[in-house]
Amino acid sequence: MNEKHTRDGLRSLLGDNYDTYVAADVASALDVLQRDQIDVLLTDLRLGGEDGMNAECERALKLRIRRSAS
């Protein structure tokens, strides 16, 4: 999510009960997705000029499929 106050609010709300990762843009989100196993992904519809739903969700699914095949 590219708005800092939204990222901070979600981290504050969810951080006590869940491992929470935030990213300001698609590149940062992909870094997180490549490093860690993510079970739930919340994204902006528009993330840094890209379509957040298509960009992140499609890439996240591809990463998950590759991990499962390994």
Side-chain angles (χ1 to χ4, degrees), residues 4-69:
K4 185 175 180 350
H5 68 276
T6 303
R7 291 191 314 269
D8 292 346
L10 286 169
R11 177 178 271 171
S12 176
L13 179 69
L14 300 171
D16 289 341
N17 299 309
Y18 303 97
D19 293 332
T20 307
Y21 307 89
V22 296
D25 54 42
V26 171
S28 299
L30 289 174
D31 286 342
V32 171
L33 291 168
Q34 289 174 344
R35 277 194 325 263
D36 298 292
Q37 182 70 33
I38 303 298
D39 295 319
V40 175
L41 174 67
L42 301 177
T43 184
D44 275 352
L45 292 176
R46 302 292 306 161
L47 187 58
E50 288 193 55
D51 180 334
M53 287 293 283
N54 286 335
E56 283 193 71
C57 292
E58 286 179 19
R59 293 172 188 163
L61 288 171
K62 287 177 186 175
L63 285 170
R64 191 177 220 25
I65 291 168
R66 272 189 272 160
R67 284 189 182 138
S68 296

